[in-house]
Amino acid sequence: MEAPPFTPSYSPSSLLLRRKTPLTVTKFSRSPNLKTRTNFSIRASSSTDSVVTLLDYGAGNVRSVRNAIKFLGFEIKDVQTPEDILNASRLIFPGVGAFAPAMEVLSKSGMGEALCSYIEKDRPFLGICLGLQLLFESSEENGLIKGLGLIPGTVGRFDSSKGFRVPHIGWNALKIAKDSEILDDIGNHHVYFVHSYRAMPSDDNKEWVSSTCDYGDKFIASIRRGNVHAVQFHPEKSGDVGLSILRRFLYPKSTAAKKTGEGKASKLAKRVIACLDVRANDNGDLVVTKGDQYDVRENTEENEVRNLGKPVELAEQYYKDGADEVSFLNITGFRDFPLGDLPMLQVLRYTSENVFVPLTVGGGIRDFTDSQGRHYSSLEVAAEYFRSGADKISIGSDAVYAAEEYIRTGVKTGKTSLEQISRVYGNQAVVVSIDPRRVYINDPNDVQFQTIKVSSSGPNGEEYAWYQCTVNGGREGRPIGAYELAKAVEELGAGEILLNCIDCDGQGKGFDVDLVTLISDAVSIPVIASSGAGVPDHFSEVFAKTNASAALAAGIFHRKEVPIQSVKEHLLKEGIEVRI
Ligand code: 1PR
């Protein structure tokens, strides 16, 4: 387990401003929460050295940033004291977690003050995501909280009432506002965003803004002033384009000519996700498997677990082939304890060294007591997944129990795995994976759940259906519908829904468009359509007919029947924006 350089103390209350208190905004003023200014002197070392100083306050996964820096040939020096910031020759600040706890840590440790001095002296700096937002005067996340106050403006939440799904997750286009050097290679390519809060351009901060992005509002995608850069998106998760942004920051005097990309990015792209269902086979080896309607055993006498390849190799292949995301589902996690399943954590660690798009991992995220009586909370399980390289975790069975309880009592206890993980890591880091099975009925009044009129009638001519949620990998049906579950988990803090369908899984006959329509119209968080892809047309169909934000497939990629690039080319031809 990697020890974080700092131990964050999450008690944001001291930073919380009462909403009614007017916020006195002074141009370029510092946050009053920062300690009194010490006169720091900066001893910059040679900018040609190969060391990058990293400000990691231990609140989340910065493994991907570390991996990207190492991939580009640099060593990392972790900030331990404010002086380490002041002595950095180049500093990267990948802010993670929520605004208030981050400010709390920066303020109490003296890091915030050092950061301001460093930036004011125009030293090479790159802030990422929250590392951009913290430079502003304040944020509305966690109440109204003062930021470092270097850039005028308040960071606010996206407005989902405009029909845009929040969090803003996925690959979006930038509008370059001024020469920003590090964005020189971006051309018309997409970069990866994942956030619910954003800063807006204004007359007061226009000198800082180097690019914007449209998502309901025009928000600030990057800032640049002299040697100071910050980006709202994640270069470490933006594939080759992202790596070249980091490279230009790390080698500022690079004379590399601008790359003229053939990208045509103009808006949020529909994502194509490769999914790897992983489990140990009967010899104990971790393999990528694939079921037919969730049955992953071969139809042979030996009845062995279907083996479609090695997880790390396949994930790397899909990254190279252009997958916008890779998901690992530890499909026996409901009965095996994932922290005992160290190979799965190793898979994540190795994969994240070479795969620079988002990684989601699911399976077994719940409270667990081991044979020695040691209790592990779901938060600890998730933390280990994040530390090992996951960007998002996906909860299946435990989210079903949480939703049932919430619907029954109407009370959010704050204690479910879903609520706890999304509170600490943000809802953009929490996916709920739904495993529903279609149940045909003759009359919608026969059940208490949301029903649909099906586009093809059932085996006995039934015209309606509801979708029953299951747990434990489809083994047990529960008294809750997919519609009810989706709405409940959105309220409990899910940031995205992975919508499987047991009936369609592995059948290659297309996504269940009825189900995807039902769920993607019911919630305002992104929905990933899953199960049933057989040909590229199935992807264009689900995007044309539903509000899905992404489509996921497994079997056709594992069996090399359809390359990811063919899916993307087909979508482009059909006028559906994708990342290329
Ligand atoms: O309940 O929190 O431990 O999570 C278990 C996770 O494992 C859930 O996300 C659940 O969906 C998954 N899972 C459990 N058993 C199976 C199984 O197949 N026996 N896999 C399973 C689910 C479904 C998809 C699949 C698509 C696309 N796999 O993710 O990849 O259906 O397949 P296709 O393109 O070949 O049709 P918990």
Side-chain angles (χ1 to χ4, degrees):
M1 216 185 265
E2 280 177 45
F6 306 117
T7 314
S9 58
Y10 294 135
S11 57
S13 50
S14 61
L15 293 168
L16 205 64
L17 299 177
R18 279 205 207 119
R19 273 197 181 279
K20 282 187 189 148
T21 314
L23 182 70
T24 333
V25 174
T26 323
K27 247 185 163 185
F28 303 101
S29 66
R30 300 284 201 77
S31 164
N33 296 306
L34 296 176
K35 287 178 182 168
T36 326
R37 176 90 182 260
T38 327
N39 230 350
F40 291 123
S41 67
I42 293 188
R43 297 187 306 277
S45 49
S46 155
S47 63
T48 56
D49 65 34
S50 61
V51 177
V52 178
T53 303
L54 190 74
L55 177 49
D56 169 9
Y57 48 85
N61 170 31
V62 299
R63 180 178 273 269
S64 344
V65 177
R66 289 178 185 279
N67 285 335
I69 294 170
K70 287 185 195 154
F71 186 86
L72 294 170
F74 280 75
E75 284 165 42
I76 294 167
K77 176 175 171 28
D78 275 301
V79 169
Q80 304 287 347
T81 66
E83 282 65 36
D84 290 334
I85 294 179
L86 301 166
N87 295 333
S89 55
R90 50 176 88 71
L91 178 69
I92 295 187
F93 180 28
V96 282
F99 195 95
M103 272 307 293
E104 179 96 2
V105 174
L106 291 180
S107 171
K108 281 195 171 154
S109 61
M111 302 288 168
E113 191 65 25
L115 206 51
C116 288
S117 294
Y118 182 86
I119 290 172
E120 284 172 350
K121 297 236 158 66
D122 193 28
R123 304 291 306 142
F125 173 82
L126 176 63
I128 298 174
C129 195
L130 190 63
L132 172 140
Q133 296 182 3
L134 289 162
L135 305 182
F136 283 80
E137 286 164 325
S138 58
S139 168
E140 290 168 0
E141 190 179 357
N142 323 111
L144 194 53
I145 306 287
K146 287 269 187 185
L148 294 172
L150 293 163
I151 306 179
T154 294
V155 177
R157 196 168 200 276
F158 280 112
D159 182 0
S160 60
S161 67
K162 293 181 181 170
F164 285 83
R165 288 169 195 271
V166 182
H168 172 220
I169 297 182
W171 299 78
N172 211 332
L174 301 185
K175 281 205 176 67
I176 306 290
K178 70 171 180 196
D179 185 13
S180 65
E181 267 181 44
I182 63 166
L183 302 181
D184 271 1
D185 296 333
I186 204 151
N188 285 319
H189 288 284
H190 294 92
V191 288
Y192 184 75
F193 288 89
V194 49
H195 58 130
S196 299
Y197 289 81
R198 83 283 182 256
M200 307 286 275
S202 68
D203 278 350
D204 289 339
N205 61 33
K206 65 174 182 247
E207 288 166 26
W208 287 87
V209 178
S210 58
S211 72
T212 57
C213 175
D214 282 322
Y215 190 67
D217 309 313
K218 183 163 102 175
F219 69 89
I220 297 175
S222 65
I223 60 104
R224 187 252 169 120
R225 203 162 179 178
N227 291 311
V228 176
H229 302 266
V231 291
Q232 178 60 67
F233 54 89
H234 288 265
E236 77 284 8
K237 286 286 148 193
S238 297
D240 283 348
V241 171
L243 290 176
S244 75
I245 292 171
L246 288 172
R247 195 178 289 115
R248 287 212 178 253
F249 172 71
L250 296 171
Y251 299 98
K253 299 284 173 273
S254 159
T255 51
K258 277 190 192 187
K259 284 186 200 156
T260 46
E262 75 292 1
K264 289 200 174 70
S266 70
K267 60 179 180 189
L268 187 68
K270 297 290 184 183
R271 284 170 281 154
V272 176
I273 301 177
C275 181
L276 294 89
D277 290 352
V278 176
R279 61 162 286 171
N281 65 12
D282 300 326
N283 301 324
D285 303 322
L286 208 63
V287 297
V288 174
T289 189
K290 183 69 218 55
D292 277 331
Q293 300 185 325
Y294 284 34
D295 179 1
V296 298
R297 293 202 172 257
E298 298 280 14
N299 204 1
T300 57
E301 219 168 276
E302 290 77 23
N303 203 221
E304 67 271 36
V305 171
R306 206 168 282 133
N307 179 350
L308 292 168
K310 295 187 179 160
V312 179
E313 281 173 20
L314 273 185
E316 288 184 5
Q317 189 56 51
Y318 295 147
Y319 167 60
K320 287 184 195 138
D321 293 347
D324 297 317
E325 246 173 84
V326 174
S327 291
F328 290 107
L329 295 177
N330 182 351
I331 67 169
T332 49
F334 70 90
R335 59 163 184 248
D336 306 326
F337 180 48
L339 296 192
D341 189 6
L342 291 173
M344 188 64 204
L345 299 176
Q346 285 292 9
V347 162
L348 268 179
R349 289 184 194 123
Y350 289 135
T351 305
S352 62
E353 280 173 17
N354 295 306
V355 172
F356 298 105
V357 292
L359 295 176
T360 301
V361 64
I365 295 177
R366 64 194 155 93
D367 291 353
F368 188 88
T369 303
D370 70 13
S371 51
Q372 270 80 48
R374 157 85 157 94
H375 179 77
Y376 295 85
S377 71
S378 55
L379 199 54
E380 286 176 273
V381 179
E384 198 52 45
Y385 274 149
F386 285 125
R387 262 194 292 272
S388 302
D391 299 289
K392 299 187 254 185
I393 54 92
S394 146
I395 309 176
S397 308
D398 212 46
V400 177
Y401 303 128
E404 285 177 7
E405 187 66 8
Y406 175 51
I407 291 170
R408 199 177 58 77
T409 62
V411 177
K412 290 186 198 170
T413 61
K415 292 185 178 147
T416 62
S417 53
L418 175 51
E419 290 165 284
Q420 290 190 56
I421 300 167
S422 75
R423 191 169 52 244
V424 174
Y425 292 94
N427 67 346
Q428 76 288 340
V430 183
V431 182
V432 166
S433 167
I434 312 185
D435 299 313
R437 186 174 274 126
R438 202 183 307 130
V439 184
Y440 288 105
I441 46 174
N442 287 314
D443 183 343
N445 296 319
D446 287 352
V447 287
Q448 55 181 324
F449 310 106
Q450 185 75 27
T451 58
I452 51 152
K453 194 163 190 323
V454 286
S455 26
S456 331
S457 40
N460 301 311
E462 298 95 334
E463 291 190 351
Y464 296 90
W466 70 287
Y467 288 88
Q468 182 183 22
C469 291
T470 64
V471 292
N472 301 347
R475 286 167 181 79
E476 183 191 337
R478 298 292 306 179
I480 180 169
Y483 175 92
E484 289 75 19
L485 180 87
K487 291 192 80 75
V489 297
E490 178 177 22
E491 285 182 39
L492 290 172
E496 198 170 27
I497 285 174
L498 164 53
L499 184 59
N500 303 297
C501 175
I502 296 180
D503 308 81
C504 297
D505 176 58
Q507 303 305 295
K509 293 182 184 152
F511 297 95
D512 188 328
V513 170
D514 291 340
L515 170 65
V516 181
T517 304
L518 175 73
I519 303 302
S520 61
D521 288 351
V523 294
S524 62
I525 52 180
V527 172
I528 302 166
S530 163
S531 305
V535 291
D537 270 330
H538 293 151
F539 290 83
S540 48
E541 182 191 29
V542 80
F543 288 135
K545 293 186 177 167
T546 76
N547 287 313
S549 301
L552 171 152
I556 53 166
F557 298 148
H558 303 336
R559 294 187 300 269
K560 306 196 179 355
E561 289 164 5
V562 180
I564 293 171
Q565 271 312 321
S566 306
V567 173
K568 293 209 164 171
E569 281 161 21
H570 169 77
L571 290 171
L572 270 185
K573 211 169 78 223
E574 294 294 310
I576 296 166
E577 182 141 344
V578 288
R579 173 185 77 109
I580 51 168

